[in-house]
Amino acid sequence: MLDTARWRERLRGIRPRSLSARVPADCPRCGARARGGRPCPACLPAPIPTGDGRRCPVCARRLADAACGDCARRPPAFDRVVAAFDYEAAGRDLILLYKARRRFELSGALADLLALAAGAADPPLPGSTILVPVPSRREAILRRGFNPAAELARALSARLGLRCEPGMLRRTDGGAKQALLGRAARRVAQRDAYYCGPVPGGCHVAVVDDVLTTGSTLDGIARALKASGATVVTGLVLARAVPDAARSPARNN
Ligand SMILES: [Zn+2]
Ligand SMILES: [Zn+2]
């Protein structure tokens, strides 16, 4: 069970992996002094508690009603989503810094948060789980210089001791810019947007991404993975969009 106090306590216990991460530097969000450029305690997003009864057990969406209308209307191809925090407040700011402001060095600190959420997942991820990042559009990689999801997956692989296969999943084309599309159009655009080679039969794949917005990207990917042999597909994301802001994150990769 993760809660804010325990999350902070565990983060304090994580030994920074590089020398530069051990020296004092400014918090990327507020500028206060913090260890190695990591978010200061005040800028750490609130973790999503494991087994939070106010969330959809499949898509991790914060619920206003007893059940998730999205998953009931159209059951997704993925099995569940594990998210570290909601896409709001400090969590949204950190992701915007990482993606839009190209603060590449935040990947380690963000991967620590996601690793804690993945480690607390119930049921736990099997040790044979394969991590696969959501591929970026080519123009997004050229603009940013990196694929945010791929960097997260690589850092997660080291932290969780799970295999990472960045080449397993490909885009069929450049893909439409998701941020410009409505919910139904996103679903159609994502249906055939990904393909993958043979997947080890019966394997569990965890698809790594920064933000889960409507779930249409993960749904399209899960269809492709299951058609190629995956048995279970879990979404492993830093942030879950909150219902009112379902279209707000710039899904532009
Ligand atoms: Zn701060
Ligand atoms: Zn749901």
Side-chain angles (χ1 to χ4, degrees):
M1 175 76 171
L2 273 183
D3 56 33
T4 304
R6 193 167 301 185
W7 198 352
R8 286 181 182 160
E9 183 189 318
R10 287 195 195 171
L11 281 172
R12 267 199 298 274
I14 293 176
R15 189 172 166 78
R17 288 168 181 260
S18 66
L19 189 61
S20 62
R22 295 179 210 171
V23 298
D26 293 346
C27 164
R29 180 169 182 254
C30 74
R33 197 173 158 100
R35 191 177 67 172
R38 287 160 179 268
C40 72
C43 291
L44 272 181
I48 293 176
T50 309
D52 184 355
R54 296 160 302 169
R55 290 184 184 266
C56 172
V58 177
C59 73
R61 192 167 73 99
R62 199 192 279 161
L63 298 179
D65 307 314
C68 176
D70 287 356
C71 291
R73 262 192 306 278
R74 201 175 295 271
F78 54 85
D79 295 274
R80 67 167 167 163
V81 170
V82 174
F85 48 80
D86 282 312
Y87 189 78
E88 60 185 4
R92 180 185 55 217
D93 292 350
L94 292 173
I95 287 179
L96 288 174
L97 283 166
Y98 178 49
K99 291 180 71 178
R101 305 289 291 276
R102 304 179 210 175
R103 297 286 298 270
F104 172 82
E105 73 280 8
L106 275 172
S107 62
L110 293 172
D112 283 343
L113 299 179
L114 187 46
L116 288 179
D122 183 23
L125 292 171
S128 58
T129 300
I130 300 173
L131 300 177
V132 176
V134 173
S136 267
R137 283 161 48 247
R138 187 176 148 75
E139 68 179 60
I141 292 181
L142 291 175
R143 184 179 70 247
R144 239 180 233 130
F146 68 105
N147 172 0
E151 294 308 317
L152 277 177
R154 188 159 52 192
L156 263 185
S157 170
R159 283 157 176 77
L160 299 176
L162 299 177
R163 202 169 117 204
C164 180
E165 294 283 352
M168 183 184 278
L169 192 64
R170 311 263 174 173
R171 300 193 73 110
T172 50
D173 55 22
K177 268 201 170 185
Q178 294 295 291
L180 305 178
L181 302 176
R183 182 179 286 265
R186 283 188 193 205
R187 201 166 47 239
V188 171
Q190 294 304 301
R191 199 177 295 150
D192 301 313
Y194 301 92
Y195 72 97
C196 49
V199 173
C203 78
H204 186 144
V205 177
V207 179
V208 180
D209 205 359
D210 40 65
V211 185
L212 185 87
T213 308
T214 64
S216 55
T217 296
L218 182 58
D219 183 55
I221 288 172
R223 280 177 206 285
L225 287 167
K226 288 192 171 177
S228 296
T231 303
V232 178
V233 176
T234 297
L236 209 47
V237 300
L238 277 175
R240 180 62 169 107
V242 294
D244 291 341
R247 290 199 60 197
S248 62
R251 170 85 255 173
N252 57 357
N253 60 343

